[in-house]
Amino acid sequence: MTKSESLDAIMKAAPVIPVVVVDDPAIAVKLAEALVKGGLPAIEITLRTPNAVDCIRAVAEDVEGAISGAGTVLDARQMAAVEKAGAKFMVSPGAAPDLLRAAADCPVPLLPGSATASEMMALGEAGYTHLKFFPAEAAGGAAFLKSVASPLPQFTICPTGGITLQSAASYLALPNVPCVGGSWVAPSGLMAKGDWAGIEALAREATALKSI
């Protein structure tokens, strides 16, 4: 399976890819278990905490059915670390030249960030067909992605940034958007309380977006 095919399968596994910030591997496992039970297998664990790589490894090793991913990947060093930890996909907020060069040598597929038509076209020239649109709400929202669907139909896009359960449907109705990235399914308040049932319920709500 090519990197593009892998990303396609991951992006079509569920209508929402949870974007989570977690620093304790034990909590990461509990969180991932709740999200998977709720129907969201692909989980983007952002590299914004000291122990994020350990969290990615714990989810990859200990949570059946989870597709452990790494978010906020910015350089080759981080790529090597998350590959070793067992990440199945990587996500970046942008697409700097050095990042793309490192990604070409890494077996883990990268979902690079883009915010304009020109950035999308540049990534297309680099061989990418699956992109992140970030920051989605600030960069034009669903209206922007609708406008580029016709002139740039070759791209499959995961918008992320400011999306809520209420606004997700407008994105998922577009032909170029199989999923959205969302942090609302793993709120810090519920995580702090260990309310895994509450997070599972949020995941089920997100999963139901597929049938709307």
Side-chain angles (χ1 to χ4, degrees):
M1 184 179 290
T2 66
K3 293 182 185 179
S4 180
E5 289 170 340
S6 294
L7 281 175
D8 198 65
I10 290 167
M11 292 171 70
K12 292 177 180 177
V16 177
I17 294 178
V19 180
V20 306
V21 180
V22 60
D23 194 45
D24 183 331
I27 291 177
V29 167
K30 293 290 187 183
L31 172 63
E33 287 174 342
L35 292 170
V36 171
K37 286 180 182 177
L40 305 180
I43 303 166
E44 178 187 334
I45 300 172
T46 60
L47 300 184
R48 302 179 195 175
T49 66
N51 297 313
V53 172
D54 291 332
C55 292
I56 291 167
R57 179 180 295 105
V59 171
E61 292 178 352
D62 299 336
V63 184
E64 184 177 356
I67 305 171
S68 188
T72 323
V73 176
L74 304 177
D75 55 42
R77 178 187 59 82
Q78 291 178 327
M79 285 187 178
V82 301
E83 176 192 349
K84 187 176 181 180
K88 298 301 182 185
F89 67 100
M90 305 180 294
V91 185
S92 176
D98 284 349
L99 181 78
L100 297 184
R101 280 191 286 269
D105 296 326
C106 181
V108 183
L110 173 70
L111 190 67
S114 59
T116 68
S118 292
E119 290 175 358
M120 291 178 179
M121 290 171 65
L123 284 167
E125 289 183 356
Y128 286 88
T129 55
H130 294 70
L131 313 177
K132 173 182 179 177
F133 175 53
F134 177 83
E137 288 290 278
F144 172 82
L145 290 182
K146 182 177 181 180
S147 71
V148 299
S150 180
L152 299 174
Q154 67 269 41
F155 296 115
T156 301
I157 301 170
C158 175
T160 304
I163 300 174
T164 65
L165 176 68
Q166 291 70 34
S167 63
S170 62
Y171 289 95
L172 293 168
L174 301 175
N176 52 351
V177 178
C179 66
V180 302
S183 59
W184 82 86
V185 292
S188 58
L190 293 186
M191 289 173 59
K193 293 189 296 184
D195 187 357
W196 310 122
I199 289 176
E200 181 182 341
L202 291 176
R204 291 189 185 282
E205 282 185 327
T207 302
L209 288 167
K210 182 180 294 186
S211 60
I212 293 177

